[in-house]
Every structure is written in C-alpha cells, then in structure tokens.
Amino acid sequence: MEEYHPGDEVAFNPDEASNCVKECIEGIIGGVDYSQNKVNQWTATIVEHSLTQLVKQGKPFKYIVNCAVMQKSGAGLHTASSCYWDTTTDGSCTVRWENRTMYCVVSVFAVAVTL
Amino acid sequence: MDEFQSGEETAFVVDEVSTIIKESVETAIGGNTYQHSRVNQWTTNVVEQCLSQLSKLGKPFKYIVTCIIMQKNGAGLQTASSCFWDNSTDGSCTVRWENKSMYCIVSVFGLAI
C-alpha cells in the first residue's frame, strides 16, 4: 500500500503553465501587427484559450488569467502584483512576449482548492 | 435563534473593495507626474497598501492584487482577465484611475477559502 504521495499533483507548476500560455499567445497574435480594432478580441481570446488549456490539466485549482496588450510607442508600462494566499500550494507565473509592434504580458494565478 | 445569515462576512463585496483600491491609489500616486525612476516603487506601494487593507477586513479570502501604471503617450493598452472559480463566493473588482500624465489600473481578485 502506497502511503507516500509526493505533492506533484497538487502543487502549481509554473513552467508547464508558462509553456501553455506561450503557445496560446503565439497561436493568436504570432505574426500580426497591433490593430486597435482587433486588440479587444485578441486579449479575450488569449485569456480564454489559456484558461481552457489550464483547466484541461485537471488539477484542483482555481485560476485567474490576466492579459495586457500594449502598442509599442515609447510609453512606459509597469505592472506589479501582490498575493495573500497559501504559499505552499498556490502560485503564479508571468509570460512577457513581444513582436515588432506590441507587447503582451500574461499572468496566471493558481489558487488551490481544498476538496 | 438566528437561522438566517446574510453571508455578509463571507461574500466578496465589490463596493468595499473598490473604495479600498481608490484610497490606496490616491495615497500612493495621488499628485505625482509619471517618472520612470519611481514607477517601480509606486506599483509596489499600491499593491501592498491594497493588500494590507484587504487583509484587515478579516474575511476568509485569498487575494490577488495587480496594478498597471502606464505613461500617457497615445499608446493603446488593452487588458482582459478570465477566471475559473466558484461564482457564488468569489469575485473581482477593477478600478481605472488617471491623472494628467499616467493611467493606473488596479484589479483585486478575492477567492473564498
């Protein structure tokens, strides 16, 4: 009888989440230039796809996915986040992506659910 | 015997959180002009201030606070969030603030324990 269960199944894996998000971003805005009338749709699609992929992993987590897309025009942008949670089980990961005309910053926060 | 409990203490109250955010932002960057060398400290101050006020509420929640400060330069910025949680207990609140030189967007997500 196995008594020792390593915490793999219930710890947040930021690398896996990060890869998942990068693929989503590439798939949606990979080769395109910033367009004001499409950006609304892009951010919504990026968060939805990322969330769907994360939920498919079937882990006992609640997720928050946040995406910001900014046109490259010389403006300064700074983001910060602070979390009040259980540091042993919860975690986050942030992916920064850019192309010639825009920056995209996606953050994933995962909070463990006690079943 | 009180059987009806309105659940005030365990629901995410958007208005209350919104007020906390507005006060925190005003206090941290209220009368300032965008300055590249100070913005790092400002975003940190805003999130820390918000979080400490939120934890003082004493509710059984985990919180995530994010803050974006952007210089007003004509650039376009779009943000979106998507959440997978328990709709009956969890909630979020986003406050958009601006002055002459910058925009500040703060989001608070509260997840019931």
Side-chain angles (χ1 to χ4, degrees):
Chain A
M1 188 168 76
E2 286 172 8
E3 292 200 33
Y4 176 65
H5 293 286
D8 277 358
E9 295 179 11
V10 291
F12 178 64
N13 186 341
D15 295 326
E16 207 180 324
S18 175
N19 286 336
C20 181
V21 166
K22 277 178 195 154
E23 284 171 15
C24 287
I25 297 174
E26 271 296 330
I28 294 158
I29 54 175
V32 293
D33 287 345
Y34 182 86
S35 158
Q36 194 189 346
N37 48 15
K38 288 189 180 165
V39 69
N40 197 356
Q41 188 190 322
W42 290 336
T43 48
T45 312
I46 289 170
V47 293
E48 280 169 21
H49 280 200
S50 301
L51 195 59
T52 309
Q53 293 305 315
L54 287 164
V55 169
K56 272 189 193 167
Q57 289 171 8
K59 297 188 178 182
F61 281 101
K62 292 179 178 179
Y63 295 102
I64 291 162
V65 182
N66 201 35
C67 168
V69 173
M70 186 175 89
Q71 188 179 16
K72 276 189 175 178
S73 78
L77 176 76
H78 205 96
T79 70
S81 58
S82 189
C83 310
Y84 181 74
W85 58 24
D86 182 342
T87 50
T88 53
T89 55
D90 307 332
S92 69
C93 90
T94 301
V95 173
R96 278 160 281 273
W97 181 97
E98 65 180 282
N99 70 8
R100 232 175 19 110
T101 54
M102 55 187 168
Y103 295 104
C104 178
V105 181
V106 177
S107 296
V108 175
F109 299 93
V111 174
V113 179
T114 48
L115 297 162
Chain B
M1 187 167 77
D2 286 336
E3 293 202 30
F4 175 69
Q5 283 171 343
S6 60
E8 272 174 32
E9 298 185 6
T10 55
F12 185 79
V13 180
V14 176
D15 294 331
E16 192 176 35
V17 173
S18 176
T19 308
I20 288 175
I21 297 174
K22 284 176 190 152
E23 285 172 8
S24 303
V25 173
E26 270 298 329
T27 308
I29 58 176
N32 296 311
T33 306
Y34 182 89
Q35 264 176 275
H36 181 68
S37 55
R38 294 181 69 189
V39 71
N40 196 358
Q41 189 192 322
W42 288 338
T43 47
T44 308
N45 289 350
V46 170
V47 294
E48 281 176 9
Q49 178 75 0
C50 283
L51 205 55
S52 70
Q53 293 302 317
L54 288 165
S55 55
K56 276 186 195 166
L57 293 174
K59 296 188 176 184
F61 277 95
K62 293 182 178 179
Y63 294 104
I64 292 161
V65 182
T66 64
C67 169
I68 295 175
I69 292 182
M70 186 173 89
Q71 188 181 15
K72 277 189 174 178
N73 192 13
L77 174 73
Q78 180 76 23
T79 70
S81 338
S82 189
C83 309
F84 180 72
W85 58 25
D86 181 342
N87 270 333
S88 54
T89 55
D90 306 331
S92 71
C93 169
T94 301
V95 171
R96 278 158 284 274
W97 180 97
E98 65 181 281
N99 67 12
K100 265 196 318 151
S101 57
M102 55 188 170
Y103 295 105
C104 179
I105 300 170
V106 179
S107 293
V108 172
F109 301 92
L111 297 106
I113 297 174

